[in-house]
């Protein structure tokens, strides 16, 4: 039996209504997700949420991270934030990147109490940033310290000789673009780099001397690149207390922060929508056809530090430290 014209019209109307409500439901869900993401980030919308303690993660290799600097500034400007916990887990990175974040934390600490809570690692520029806080809490087994600066450059002259490659250059002065991986390093070039490193090292030691309850000689004694457990760091006054986030919050309470306030993590904008760097690395490994564990291999080869430029304040443990 053929469908009647009235039935066909009713079906079309029903389809249009269903399509409308599906689109409307999708739009509402999208708006809700955007609103939730914005609410969690804070920043420009900080006034829309209740008073809380802000938690900011500083993890991985340190660089001059514009997004992180903007986030710290947004936390500082938020009237809803009563105190701040910096959750630090970093081997360090560029000295200039550490300096930029150090300055941002000191600016933040001028307006709100700031405590650093060290996870696995706060070394080199990671420790520099922790020292910018007003109180440092570390786990008993955390790795802390590695105060120092380095410059690394390869020497491929032997390889070039084997391959029969010779570099010709014309430059304005002997030290221009030196040291170079294409020429043996001269004593004059080493002296130039050494002078630069020692100047930055003296500046780094000065920061620790200024921020920690230590004499200059006490700082010098631990500023030889050594790393310490949290227990050792407490004895050497590099940290103030052993524990975790609960101890960090308890310290904020002693500074007048309400003990009942919730700890809310301020995440990078878009972090809820984009895949993590680890996920992207794993996808890249699959695309290039590396076997399982390829991402680990890339990390062991120093892929995270491959494109760091400038002076480095970074702890680079030998594989033997971790074992096989």
């Amino acid at each position: 039996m053929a469908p009647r014209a009235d039935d066909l019209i009713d079906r079309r109307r029903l389809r249009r209504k269903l399509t409308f409500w599906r689109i409307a439901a999708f739009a509402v869900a999208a708006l809700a997700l955007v609103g939730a993401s914005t609410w969690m980030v804070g920043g420009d919308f900080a006034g829309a949420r209740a008073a809380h303690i802000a938690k900011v993660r500083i993890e991985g290799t340190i660089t001059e991270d514009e997004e992180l600097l903007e986030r710290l500034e947004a936390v500082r400007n938020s009237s809803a934030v009563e105190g701040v916990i910096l959750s630090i887990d970093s081997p360090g990175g560029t000295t200039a990147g550490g300096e930029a974040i150090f300055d941002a934390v000191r600016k933040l600490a001028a307006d709100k109490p700031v405590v650093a809570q060290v996870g696995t690692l706060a070394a080199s520029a990671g420790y520099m940033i922790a020292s910018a806080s007003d109180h440092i809490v570390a786990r008993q087994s955390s790795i802390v310290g590695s105060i120092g600066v380095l410059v690394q450059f390869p020497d491929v002259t032997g390889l070039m000789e084997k391959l029969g490659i010779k570099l010709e250059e014309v430059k304005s002065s002997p030290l221009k673009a030196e040291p170079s991986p294409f020429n043996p390093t001269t004593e004059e070039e080493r002296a130039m780099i050494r002078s630069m490193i020692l100047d930055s090292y003296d500046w780094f030691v000065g920061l620790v001397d200024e921020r920690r309850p230590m004499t200059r000689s006490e700082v010098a004694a631990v500023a030889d690149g050594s790393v310490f457990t949290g227990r050792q760091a407490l004895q050497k006054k590099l940290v103030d207390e052993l524990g975790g986030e609960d101890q960090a919050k308890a310290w904020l309470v002693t500074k007048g922060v309400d003990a009942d306030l919730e700890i809310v993590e301020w995440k990078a904008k878009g972090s809820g929508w984009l895949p993590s760097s680890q996920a992207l690395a794993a996808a890249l490994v699959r695309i290039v056809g590396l076997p399982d564990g390829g991402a680990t291999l890339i990390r062991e080869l120093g892929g995270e530090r491959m494109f760091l430029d400038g002076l480095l304040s970074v702890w680079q443990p030998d594989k033997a430290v971790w074992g096989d």
Side-chain angles (χ1 to χ4, degrees):
M1 182 177 177
R4 294 165 44 198
D6 289 345
D7 292 337
L8 291 174
I9 292 172
D10 288 341
R11 288 177 186 175
R12 286 173 184 163
R13 286 175 179 169
L14 181 59
R15 284 198 195 102
R16 282 198 293 267
K17 289 180 180 179
L18 286 173
T19 300
F20 170 79
W21 286 113
R22 284 171 181 166
I23 293 173
F26 178 81
V28 170
L31 288 172
L33 286 172
V34 170
S37 176
T38 299
W39 182 79
M40 285 302 294
V41 169
D44 298 336
F45 307 93
R49 63 172 300 102
H52 63 280
I53 295 170
K55 176 179 178 179
V56 178
R57 293 185 185 274
I58 300 176
E59 299 176 324
T61 303
I62 301 297
T63 60
E64 196 160 354
D65 187 336
E66 291 297 330
E67 187 283 323
L68 175 59
L69 296 175
E70 291 175 2
R71 200 175 349 143
L72 290 171
E73 180 66 8
V75 170
R76 186 180 75 85
N77 291 328
S78 173
S79 59
V81 174
E82 301 292 333
V84 182
I85 297 175
L86 300 179
S87 178
I88 300 177
D89 192 352
S90 170
T94 65
T95 305
E99 177 187 355
I101 300 171
F102 177 96
D103 289 343
V105 173
R106 288 309 307 143
K107 186 176 179 183
L108 171 60
D111 291 342
K112 306 175 192 292
V114 179
V115 56
Q117 191 263 309
V118 178
T120 300
L121 184 61
S124 300
Y127 180 73
M128 180 191 299
I129 294 167
S131 70
S133 70
D134 298 318
H135 192 76
I136 304 177
V137 178
R139 299 287 185 185
Q140 296 190 57
S141 58
S142 294
I143 298 172
V144 179
S146 188
I147 299 170
V149 182
L150 77 152
V151 170
Q152 295 176 321
F153 47 90
D155 181 353
V156 299
T157 53
L159 177 62
M160 291 172 63
E161 186 177 347
K162 288 181 179 180
L163 296 176
I165 299 173
K166 182 180 179 182
L167 179 70
E168 297 286 351
E169 65 180 6
V170 178
K171 53 186 179 180
S172 59
S173 56
L175 294 179
K176 177 63 179 175
E178 297 294 350
S180 166
F182 308 118
N183 299 306
T185 306
T186 67
E187 282 305 314
E188 187 179 14
E189 293 161 6
R190 288 181 182 278
M192 174 186 68
I193 297 298
R194 188 177 299 112
S195 174
M196 184 172 64
I197 287 175
L198 290 178
D199 182 68
S200 291
Y201 171 73
D202 185 66
W203 166 79
F204 192 168
V205 170
L207 289 184
V208 179
D209 181 27
E210 175 188 340
R211 295 298 308 147
R212 300 302 304 161
M214 306 166 69
T215 65
R216 183 79 179 197
S217 60
E218 286 176 324
V219 175
V222 297
D224 60 355
S226 297
V227 289
F228 309 97
T229 66
R231 286 156 51 92
Q232 292 172 321
L234 179 63
Q235 294 174 350
K236 296 179 183 297
K237 306 179 192 176
L238 290 172
V239 304
D240 300 294
E241 187 179 359
L242 297 178
E245 191 172 278
D246 288 345
Q247 285 69 32
K249 181 177 180 180
W251 180 83
L252 290 174
V253 172
T254 67
K255 297 300 176 181
V257 175
D258 189 341
D260 294 328
L261 289 183
E262 180 187 5
I263 297 174
V264 177
E265 182 177 348
W266 283 51
K267 297 182 180 180
K269 289 185 178 179
S271 61
W273 299 86
L274 299 177
S276 67
S277 58
Q278 291 89 344
L280 290 173
L284 178 61
V285 164
R286 288 194 296 271
I287 289 170
V288 301
L290 287 176
D292 290 343
T296 302
L297 174 62
I298 290 173
R299 286 195 300 273
E300 288 188 357
L301 291 174
E304 201 173 30
R305 300 188 296 270
M306 193 174 294
F307 301 107
L308 287 181
D309 195 10
L311 293 173
L312 304 183
S313 295
V314 60
W315 184 57
Q316 302 183 12
D318 188 87
K319 186 179 177 183
V321 173
W322 303 108
D324 295 327

